[in-house]
């Protein structure tokens, strides 16, 4: 697990009798090295363009090539130039003066307009069957409406917003080195705001700080007060009062009641009226589509889908002609420990708990250079109305994972069904159930589409690269860091850092200090050793941020590993594996099998992209990166020969993703195409690197399959999750695979096995309980499942 960091020192170091590890952190590396420039050629990669398949008109608008040349700005860097005043006193009070100059538009008579909305009035008058106004006094119902409205929102207090912005600016400058924002991306959003349609920001969710940082950023850029949809379960009543006065929104608990409940109907009508009023007034809205990383639930947020459902419904009924959706991603070098510990608390976050977390963060960073960097990414806005019209044409039939994969796992058939996988782990809440079934499907696929865009456009931070190199046992940090940065940029992804390589390495290792140890082995050379134990789990979580960059290649490499598993020994030489011919149909089949096995929360495939399109993309990526080489068999047409293709019998073009029976001829032509593994010198190491990106998840799945005959079933889902997590921890102690000992991987394995038909959820008086299905009760079928998973793991 050791990694060497080499470099010749320019000056003779002072002799140190102790040679303690702590001296290495403060002394630096003392090396003169090249600088890392986060761009290739003349232009930096500009990521975040909207989907050209679903929203072609939006793809053409709100974008100009010139905005890619705009640089970055740090939103927390406020100087004298950012105010209207000049002088020595202004330089000392610039934070306070800046906060006073921020424009906060007033909210005029919003509660009265909400009460007078059509949906609420229909319930008040009793015109809706089962409504809250039926059989009740109007005054009592109006008081109930006012109570629900008070739970949802309050008018933002300008003085409090300015005071909080001033305090937050000081806090962020103590905690962060910088918070970078691309000026071109901000220009796109500002241009979209001037078009007249309301903005709805749909964001990832890394920490509680996201809901505070993003409103501060938009306020500083002149877009007004951002209304943030918070989770009321995570906040105490006192904190909810404060957040509402700062522009926060909270879903009332009555909104999740059953569809025939009068309280539920009234609460959902009031929330819908609130969203309609926000959209009509043009106030920007922030919705988190992702659960926090420490949350044990699915990745897609049920609360976020509920809020998005209200927005979709407002556009469909014509309250506003359109709304512009903006995918947002926030990345950090490292989430502060004090803020991360908030999610582990069982009780809701209170004012005192939040204040103590802020003080702990300030104390841990006071007087030291271990401040973190952050990057806010705003993707290209797109029209919700355009997506609603075009997205319905991409819907097709789907099958469950049990129907797709169980017969193949058990050896009952070999053909993979030509259909998509249906996998929904996010529970459907009351507001979403109130919509029509077609609209529910629209909201779920829209949220998956936007989250995929947000995650795919997020910048990769230096700590993620460093954690990946340390976890996967790379030997030379200096050269490998530069190589991995270039690979990320070549794939059209951006990085959230720049500067001298020496400074980047020192910064990353200082942030990862709790998980690594530095040892000096000779003059100028350092040995970086990851600390065994739970620290490896944290390194694995950080390295997972690189998975969206290399996901296609990683899926392809593991599929090739599964194809070679039964032909050559796992430890066989690379030259022996390169002799074998791999047909394109076999590669397609292995890629499809692995795609069906991997959770949708990990793949985040866009609903407009079919599985066979993704298979071709994976194969293209393997060819582009040099791992696969086309093999021309005697008598076959060359793979690059397009002149003799017979196009007269078929259409010259087809819509993207339109794979029907008429495309069978195209797949039959693929039977004669073969590939070999490339014999270039860098290919074995790169192949192993790609396979290891998915190894924590696949190893956890394999260990979960091996645990089936040891687990105590029936049991509740939390109980069996705890059993499996303890087994993963015990296995990690024996084998050193601590990156697999993650409770989220245990939950993912249980949910995948439930979809696969390995585990069944049965009702009981004490609640739902997990049972082992009769099909996998036999040890033979359990071993078949484990062997099926292990074929994709490269040791």
């Amino acid at each position: 697990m050791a990694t060497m960091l080499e470099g010749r020192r320019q000056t003779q170091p002072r002799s140190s009798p102790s040679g303690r590890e702590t001296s290495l952190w403060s002394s630096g590396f003392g090396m003169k090295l090249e600088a890392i420039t986060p761009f290739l050629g003349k232009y930096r990669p500009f990521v975040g363009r909207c989907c050209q398949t679903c929203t072609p008109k939006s793809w053409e608008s709100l974008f100009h090539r010139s905005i890619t040349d705009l640089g970055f700005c740090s939103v927390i860097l406020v100087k004298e130039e950012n105010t209207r005043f000049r002088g020595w006193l202004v330089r000392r009070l610039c934070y306070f003066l800046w906060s006073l100059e921020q424009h906060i538009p007033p909210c005029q008579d919003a509660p009265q307009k909400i009460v007078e909305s059509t949906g609420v009035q229909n319930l008040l008058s009793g015109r809706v069957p089962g409504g809250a106004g039926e059989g009740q006094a109007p005054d009592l119902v109006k008081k109930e409406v006012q109570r629900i409205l008070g739970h949802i929102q309050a008018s933002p207090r300008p003085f409090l917003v300015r005071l909080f912005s001033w305090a937050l600016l000081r806090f962020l400058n103590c905690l962060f080195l910088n918070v970078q924002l691309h000026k071109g991306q901000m220009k796109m959003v500002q241009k979209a705001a001037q078009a007249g349609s309301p903005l709805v920001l749909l964001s990832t969710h890394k920490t509680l700080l996201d809901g505070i940082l993003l409103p501060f950023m938009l306020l500083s850029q002149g877009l007004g007060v951002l209304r943030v949809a918070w989770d009321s379960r995570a906040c105490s009543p006192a904190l909810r009062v404060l957040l509402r006065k700062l522009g926060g929104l909270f879903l009332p608990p009555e909104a999740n009641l059953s569809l025939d409940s009068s309280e539920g109907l009234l609460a959902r009508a009031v929330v819908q009226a609130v969203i309609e009023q926000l959209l009509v007034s043009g106030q920007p809205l922030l919705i988190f589509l992702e659960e926090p990383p420490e949350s044990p639930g699915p990745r897609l947020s049920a609360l976020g889908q509920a809020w998005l459902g209200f927005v979709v419904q407002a556009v469909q009924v014509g309250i506003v002609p359109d709304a512009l959706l903006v995918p947002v991603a926030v990345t950090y070098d490292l989430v502060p420990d004090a803020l991360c510990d908030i999610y582990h608390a069982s009780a809701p976050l209170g004012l005192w708990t939040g204040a103590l977390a802020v003080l702990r963060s300030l104390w841990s960073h006071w007087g030291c250079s271990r401040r973190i960097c952050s990057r806010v990414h705003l993707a290209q806005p797109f029209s919700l109305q355009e997506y609603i019209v075009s997205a319905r044409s991409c819907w097709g039939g789907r099958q469950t994972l049990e129907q797709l994969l169980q017969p193949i796992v058990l050896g009952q058939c070999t053909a993979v069904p030509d259909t998509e996988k249906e996998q929904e782990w996010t529970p459907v809440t009351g507001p979403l159930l109130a919509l029509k079934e077609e609209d529910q499907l629209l909201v779920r696929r829209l949220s998956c589409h936007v989250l995929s865009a947000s995650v795919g456009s997020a910048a990769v931070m230096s700590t993620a690269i460093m954690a990946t190199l340390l976890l996967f046992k790379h030997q030379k940090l200096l050269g490998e860091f530069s190589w991995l940065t270039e690979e990320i940029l070549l794939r059209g992804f951006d990085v959230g850092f720049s500067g001298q390589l020496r400074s980047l390495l020192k910064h990353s290792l200082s942030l990862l200090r709790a998980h690594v140890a530095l040892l000096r082995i000779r003059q100028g050379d350092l040995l970086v050793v990851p600390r065994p134990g739970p620290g490896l789990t944290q390194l694995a979580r950080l390295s997972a941020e690189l998975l969206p960059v290399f996901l296609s290649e990683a899926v392809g490499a593991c599929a090739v590993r599964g194809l070679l598993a039964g032909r050559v020994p796992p430890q066989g030489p690379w030259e022996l594996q390169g002799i074998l011919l791999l047909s394109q149909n076999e590669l397609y089949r292995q890629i499809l099998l692995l795609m069906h096995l991997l959770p949708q929360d990990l793949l985040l495939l866009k609903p407009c992209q079919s599985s066979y399109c993704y298979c071709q993309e994976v194969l293209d990526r393997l060819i582009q990166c040099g791992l696969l080489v086309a093999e021309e068999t005697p008598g076959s047409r060359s793979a690059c020969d397009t002149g003799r293709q017979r196009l007269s019998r078929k259409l010259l073009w087809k819509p993207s993703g339109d794979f029907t029976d008429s495309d069978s001829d195209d797949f039959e032509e693929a039977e004669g195409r073969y590939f070999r593994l490339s014999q270039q010198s860098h290919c074995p190491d790169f192949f192993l690197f790609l396979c290891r990106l998915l190894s924590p998840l696949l190893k956890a799945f394999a260990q979960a399959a091996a645990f089936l005959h040891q687990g105590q079933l029936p049991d509740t889902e939390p109980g069996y999750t705890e059993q499996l997590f303890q087994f993963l921890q015990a296995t990690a102690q024996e084998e050193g695979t601590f990156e697999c000992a993650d409770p989220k991987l245990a939950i993912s394995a249980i949910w995948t096995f439930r979809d696969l038909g390995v585990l069944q959820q049965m009702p009981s008086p004490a609640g739902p309980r997990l049972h082992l299905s009769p099909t996998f009760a036999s040890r033979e079928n359990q071993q078949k499942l484990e062997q099926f998973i292990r074929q994709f793991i490269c040791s």
Side-chain angles (χ1 to χ4, degrees):
M1 298 296 290
T3 303
M4 184 180 296
L5 191 152
E6 292 185 353
R8 290 274 76 90
R9 299 178 63 92
Q10 290 183 300
T11 59
Q12 185 71 17
R14 298 180 180 178
S15 59
S16 175
S18 60
R20 293 176 298 176
E21 179 189 341
T22 54
S23 64
L24 301 177
W25 296 101
S26 57
S27 63
F29 303 118
M31 295 170 289
K32 184 178 181 181
L33 301 169
E34 61 179 349
I36 291 290
T37 53
F39 51 85
L40 294 176
K42 187 176 180 180
Y43 296 103
R44 185 187 184 107
F46 190 84
V47 297
R49 299 296 300 274
C50 62
C51 180
Q52 196 173 8
T53 302
C54 298
T55 52
K57 294 181 181 179
S58 299
W59 189 85
E60 296 176 356
S61 62
L62 303 177
F63 178 79
H64 192 271
R65 183 62 62 182
S66 62
I67 68 176
T68 61
D69 299 334
L70 299 178
F72 287 82
C73 66
S74 179
V75 296
I76 63 173
L77 182 61
V78 175
K79 297 182 178 179
E80 177 186 3
E81 292 78 10
N82 299 105
T83 67
R84 295 178 298 168
F85 309 99
R86 297 294 181 269
W88 66 270
L89 184 60
V90 176
R91 286 192 290 272
R92 286 156 178 79
L93 300 176
C94 57
Y95 288 1
F96 180 72
L97 295 175
W98 172 87
S99 63
L100 291 179
E101 293 179 356
Q102 300 307 307
H103 174 65
I104 301 176
C107 298
Q108 299 178 354
D109 208 18
Q112 185 64 27
K113 293 180 180 179
I114 292 172
V115 175
E116 294 174 356
S117 65
T118 304
V120 174
Q121 286 298 317
N122 288 338
L123 288 173
L124 291 177
S125 60
R127 287 193 293 267
V128 177
E134 192 173 13
Q136 300 184 23
D139 292 340
L140 295 178
V141 180
K142 287 183 179 180
K143 290 182 180 180
E144 182 67 14
V145 171
Q146 295 292 345
R147 185 192 65 81
I148 295 175
L149 185 58
H151 183 95
I152 298 173
Q153 69 165 6
S155 298
R157 303 294 192 270
F159 173 76
L160 188 59
V161 171
R162 291 189 174 94
L163 180 62
F164 188 79
S165 299
W166 169 77
L168 182 62
L169 186 58
R170 300 195 65 89
F171 167 70
L172 293 177
N173 276 277
C174 294
L175 189 63
F176 290 95
L177 282 173
N178 53 64
V179 179
Q180 295 291 331
L181 173 66
H182 196 287
K183 295 179 182 178
Q185 296 171 358
M186 194 67 238
K187 187 175 181 180
M188 281 195 309
V189 176
Q190 290 173 342
K191 185 178 178 181
Q194 296 171 0
S197 298
L199 292 179
V200 180
L201 282 72
L202 305 173
S203 175
T204 59
H205 201 182
K206 297 296 182 184
T207 174
L208 182 70
L209 196 59
D210 297 346
I212 302 174
L213 180 61
L214 289 174
F216 171 82
M217 181 202 69
L218 261 69
L219 181 64
S220 66
Q221 300 300 314
L223 292 180
V225 178
L226 180 64
R227 310 303 295 270
V228 184
W230 292 94
D231 187 357
S232 58
R233 298 169 299 178
C235 304
S236 67
L239 183 59
R240 288 201 296 267
V241 171
L242 175 62
L243 292 178
R244 275 195 290 265
K245 293 180 179 179
L246 294 174
L249 301 174
F250 293 91
L251 192 69
E254 295 87 355
N256 290 314
L257 296 178
S258 60
L259 299 182
D260 56 353
S261 170
S262 60
E263 293 84 357
L265 286 172
L266 182 60
R268 288 188 288 270
V270 175
V271 176
Q272 183 66 45
V274 169
I275 295 298
E276 292 173 358
Q277 178 60 30
L278 288 178
L279 297 178
V280 169
S281 62
Q283 300 180 62
L285 174 65
L286 172 63
I287 299 174
F288 291 108
L289 288 182
E290 188 181 32
E291 292 287 353
E294 303 299 330
S295 174
R299 186 171 189 177
L300 275 169
S301 170
L303 180 64
Q305 288 186 352
W307 284 108
L308 184 58
F310 289 120
V311 175
V312 171
Q313 191 174 7
V315 174
Q316 284 186 323
V317 299
I319 299 297
V320 288
D322 197 5
L324 293 178
L325 306 184
V326 186
V328 181
V330 185
T331 52
Y332 304 90
D333 276 336
L334 201 66
V335 177
D337 295 335
L339 299 176
C340 188
D341 293 341
I342 290 176
Y343 289 111
H344 293 286
S346 57
L349 176 64
L351 281 176
W352 288 110
T353 308
L356 289 176
V358 170
L359 292 177
R360 285 178 54 193
S361 299
L362 293 176
W363 178 260
S364 62
H365 293 82
W366 185 266
C368 69
S369 60
R370 292 174 55 198
R371 291 189 294 170
I372 60 179
C373 300
S374 178
R375 172 78 180 275
V376 180
H377 180 88
L378 302 174
Q380 183 181 6
F382 65 92
S383 167
L384 175 58
Q385 185 66 45
E386 183 184 8
Y387 181 87
I388 292 174
V389 173
S390 62
R392 299 184 191 275
S393 61
C394 299
W395 297 353
R398 293 174 179 256
Q399 292 184 359
T400 63
L401 186 61
E402 182 177 358
Q403 296 170 329
L404 289 173
L405 216 54
Q406 189 183 102
I408 299 175
V409 171
L410 299 178
Q412 298 173 355
C413 70
T414 57
V416 184
D418 183 13
T419 185
E420 305 298 321
K421 177 179 68 172
E422 181 66 31
Q423 189 176 56
E424 293 291 345
W425 287 354
T426 305
V428 182
T429 56
L432 203 59
L433 282 174
L435 302 179
K436 294 185 293 186
E437 186 175 353
E438 185 180 8
D439 293 336
Q440 294 179 28
L441 184 61
L442 173 67
V443 172
R444 289 200 300 265
R445 297 193 177 179
L446 174 60
S447 59
C448 182
H449 199 294
V450 176
L451 184 59
S452 175
S454 299
V455 172
S457 60
V460 179
M461 307 303 287
S462 60
T463 49
I465 296 179
M466 183 62 66
T468 303
L469 296 178
L470 294 173
L471 188 65
F472 300 147
K473 307 177 185 179
H474 284 252
Q475 299 300 317
K476 304 281 183 75
L477 281 182
L478 298 183
E480 299 292 348
F481 194 97
S482 299
W483 162 77
L484 195 51
T485 302
E486 291 181 1
E487 292 292 334
I488 293 171
L489 297 172
L490 282 170
R491 283 158 178 78
F493 287 79
D494 204 357
V495 293
F497 56 87
S498 63
Q500 290 186 349
L501 184 57
R502 173 180 62 87
S503 301
L504 289 172
L505 293 177
K506 182 179 178 181
H507 172 73
S508 302
L509 290 175
S510 65
L511 293 178
L512 299 176
R513 182 176 181 175
H515 313 301
V516 300
L518 293 184
L519 304 174
R520 180 176 286 127
I521 55 177
R522 60 178 182 268
Q523 179 181 347
D525 293 340
L526 297 177
L527 194 66
V528 184
V529 183
R531 301 181 189 271
L536 290 178
T537 304
Q538 181 64 25
L539 292 179
R541 290 178 180 175
L542 286 173
S543 67
E545 296 180 8
L546 262 74
L547 196 53
V549 181
F550 298 96
L551 183 57
S552 299
E553 291 98 324
V555 170
C558 292
V560 171
R561 175 64 261 169
L563 198 56
L564 297 174
R567 303 185 184 182
V568 296
Q571 303 297 335
W574 182 260
E575 292 78 9
L576 178 61
Q577 299 180 15
I579 296 176
L580 299 177
L581 287 177
L582 309 175
S583 72
Q584 185 166 327
N585 280 348
E586 291 175 332
L587 289 170
Y588 276 163
R589 181 180 180 276
Q590 287 296 117
I591 294 171
L592 279 174
L593 291 178
L594 184 56
M595 281 177 55
H596 292 329
L597 177 64
L598 295 176
Q600 178 64 24
D601 280 5
L602 174 72
L603 291 175
L604 287 178
L605 294 181
K606 296 180 179 178
C608 59
Q609 185 180 25
S610 68
S611 297
Y612 280 99
C613 276
Y614 187 75
C615 286
Q616 187 59 51
E617 178 185 338
V618 169
L619 190 57
D620 291 343
R621 290 289 185 90
L622 292 178
I623 297 173
Q624 290 172 4
C625 68
L627 286 179
L628 287 184
V629 179
E631 179 70 16
E632 306 295 348
T633 57
S636 64
R637 180 172 57 85
S638 176
C640 60
D641 182 12
T642 60
R644 292 187 292 171
Q645 292 185 9
R646 295 173 294 176
L647 300 177
S648 58
R649 300 180 182 178
K650 61 186 70 177
L651 293 174
L652 295 179
W653 63 272
K654 294 178 183 178
S656 176
D658 183 16
F659 283 83
T660 58
D661 294 338
S662 62
D663 298 293
S664 58
D665 295 338
D666 297 337
F667 291 103
E668 289 175 1
E669 291 181 4
E671 294 180 359
R673 299 174 187 169
Y674 291 87
F675 301 89
R676 292 182 189 272
L677 288 176
S678 175
Q679 296 301 308
Q680 298 181 24
S681 59
H682 72 280
C683 288
D685 292 337
F686 189 52
F687 182 83
L688 186 61
F689 166 78
L690 294 174
C691 290
R692 283 177 172 173
L693 287 175
L694 287 174
S695 63
L697 176 69
L698 293 174
K699 286 180 180 179
F701 280 19
Q703 293 174 15
F707 180 68
L708 288 175
H709 73 285
Q710 303 180 23
Q712 302 295 324
L713 288 174
D715 197 357
T716 61
E717 185 176 296
Y720 190 69
T721 301
E722 183 63 26
Q723 290 187 48
L724 178 57
F725 179 57
Q726 292 178 0
F727 176 76
L728 293 178
Q729 287 182 314
T731 307
Q733 294 289 344
E734 297 174 1
E735 302 178 0
T737 56
F738 290 96
E739 62 271 16
C740 304
D742 192 331
K744 291 188 71 69
L745 294 181
I747 295 174
S748 182
I750 291 175
W751 288 352
T752 301
F753 285 3
R754 186 184 60 192
D755 294 344
L756 188 56
V758 179
L759 300 174
Q760 295 178 347
Q761 197 167 26
M762 302 289 188
S764 69
R769 299 176 70 86
L770 289 177
H771 296 253
L772 188 62
S773 69
T775 305
F776 287 90
S778 65
R779 182 66 178 146
E780 180 184 1
N781 287 344
Q782 294 175 9
Q783 292 176 347
K784 288 181 180 179
L785 175 63
E786 184 179 359
Q787 292 172 0
F788 175 80
I789 299 173
R790 289 195 179 277
Q791 68 174 328
F792 300 109
I793 302 176
C794 188
S795 59

